[in-house]
Amino acid sequence: MPRQLGDLEDAVMTRVWQWNRPVTVREVLEDLQQERSIAYTTVMTVMDNLHQKGWVRREVDGRAYRYTAVSTRAAYAAALMNEAWSKSDNPAAALVAFFGMMSPEQRTSLVDAVRMVRADRPEDADDADGAHVEEETPSEAPAEAASEQPVEGADDPSGTGR
């Protein structure tokens, strides 16, 4: 399971993910230098470390390497969320708390994601007892669709449900 990227690793990977093509150390350096003072060797070391950790693959191009992301930023974010969730002693409570922190836009994205997963895997439309789970309507709370239970106190920062 991946550990969270450091600040400089994240800055480098952000460029690799955004550009979505093989990149050189020089290209990343020049873009980073618009924000901060940084040495070529520092960027080269970070990119080599990312290669050693399996975040990027590289191919020789003349006297340089071209680096390509091994996975997407979305996959990285999902892996971090999954790791954090799996470490909880109460995963259901962690999800309820997480859903309660979401903005309305994030909740809409969550509902969309649940619909996509259900469309890809129709067997997931049935719950553990084999009963059909009804599709949510636009008037339902997004957290209900994801957890299949109302999220009591989702708007209550104290978490007491009151």
Side-chain angles (χ1 to χ4, degrees):
M1 197 49 50
R3 68 166 181 80
Q4 188 169 357
L5 295 171
D7 289 342
L8 190 50
E9 289 173 326
D10 186 68
V12 169
M13 284 305 300
T14 293
R15 282 142 181 92
V16 175
W17 282 319
Q18 284 176 344
W19 296 339
N20 197 28
R21 62 174 174 74
V23 300
T24 64
V25 171
R26 177 74 53 203
E27 290 173 308
V28 174
L29 170 72
E30 289 172 359
D31 200 60
L32 283 171
Q33 285 179 330
Q34 294 177 29
E35 300 172 358
R36 62 177 95 186
S37 176
I38 191 165
Y40 180 92
T41 54
T42 301
V43 177
M44 183 176 64
T45 299
V46 169
M47 293 185 82
D48 184 61
N49 289 343
L50 289 167
H51 175 257
Q52 298 299 322
K53 293 175 181 181
W55 287 105
V56 294
R57 70 178 57 90
R58 65 185 179 195
E59 297 176 8
V60 176
D61 183 15
R63 294 181 50 210
Y65 286 114
R66 289 206 174 266
Y67 294 84
T68 308
V70 168
S71 66
T72 64
R73 181 179 278 286
Y76 165 67
L80 290 178
M81 289 187 290
N82 186 55
E83 183 174 356
W85 182 49
S86 69
K87 289 184 178 185
S88 173
D89 61 348
N90 188 340
L95 282 175
V96 169
F98 181 62
F99 296 157
M101 294 177 197
M102 290 178 148
S103 69
E105 295 80 16
Q106 290 170 319
R107 289 182 185 185
T108 298
S109 295
L110 176 64
V111 170
D112 291 343
V114 169
R115 284 187 183 126
M116 285 188 276
V117 169
R118 285 184 177 164
D120 287 346
R121 300 185 334 200
E123 68 276 10
D124 287 348
D126 292 341
D127 67 14
D129 299 324
H132 182 70
V133 177
E134 294 298 319
E135 286 295 318
E136 61 281 345
T137 61
S139 63
E140 288 183 278
E144 290 177 14
S147 68
E148 297 174 298
Q149 296 178 14
V151 178
E152 303 268 338
D155 296 324
D156 176 19
S158 70
T160 63
R162 295 183 193 144

